[in-house]
Amino acid sequence: MTSHQTTQTMKPATAAKKLGVYLEATPAEFQEGVVSRTELNALQADPPEWLRDLRRDGPHPRPVVATKLGVSIAGLARGGITDPLTTEQIEALKKESPEWLQRERATQAEVRKEAVRIKEKKAERAEQTERPRS
């Protein structure tokens, strides 16, 4: 009995998400085909010019925009940002620093601080339960 391995493929939207790029900005041949795991790995290891350009200049998908601005995706929506942005637009927003962006950054900082506090508390509890009682 011989086993044959099938090639794992994904939709272009999934591949674009894994590559951190906005699907609609990718070349037509990327959008219309399927991407194998091997092709995805090759794109990540040695990105073609179009991929390097997209990663550098955008337009960027919302998760990337949120990360670059230091806010959550929900924070983007609360700020009225629902469309992909270019790097230039992101830099302009940072420079402008509207009130909503300052508020969302502060919120995100609090969320991170709380996550660290919870992680430390869990580690402390785990350490206490591992200690032998005398």
Side-chain angles (χ1 to χ4, degrees):
M1 208 189 282
T2 60
S3 68
H4 65 287
Q5 196 169 1
T6 58
T7 305
Q8 184 183 11
T9 60
M10 60 193 83
K11 294 177 182 175
T14 304
K17 190 174 190 177
K18 289 180 181 289
L19 293 169
V21 296
Y22 183 56
L23 177 63
E24 284 75 13
T26 61
E29 59 270 10
F30 181 85
Q31 293 179 39
E32 295 163 2
V34 292
V35 181
S36 71
R37 174 67 59 190
T38 305
E39 290 168 332
L40 179 70
N41 290 342
L43 286 170
Q44 289 172 326
D46 185 22
E49 189 66 31
W50 66 264
L51 182 53
R52 288 194 300 268
D53 290 346
L54 272 180
R55 285 178 168 168
R56 182 182 58 246
D57 303 325
H60 303 288
R62 286 182 306 153
V64 174
V65 173
T67 300
K68 287 180 179 273
L69 289 174
V71 299
S72 66
I73 294 173
L76 278 181
R78 286 189 292 269
I81 307 295
T82 55
D83 295 326
L85 299 179
T86 63
T87 300
E88 191 175 306
Q89 291 169 315
I90 292 168
E91 291 306 316
L93 254 178
K94 284 179 177 178
K95 199 174 268 187
E96 185 184 311
S97 191
E99 186 181 318
W100 72 264
L101 181 57
Q102 294 174 30
R103 187 175 54 249
E104 291 300 333
R105 281 181 163 173
T107 300
Q108 195 67 8
E110 287 300 316
V111 167
R112 285 190 201 106
K113 221 186 288 183
E114 181 64 8
V116 168
R117 187 189 70 77
I118 290 169
K119 184 177 180 182
E120 288 171 350
K121 192 171 186 176
K122 282 183 180 178
E124 190 178 297
R125 279 191 194 139
E127 190 177 298
Q128 288 175 353
T129 57
E130 287 175 7
R131 273 193 213 136
R133 298 185 182 179
S134 37

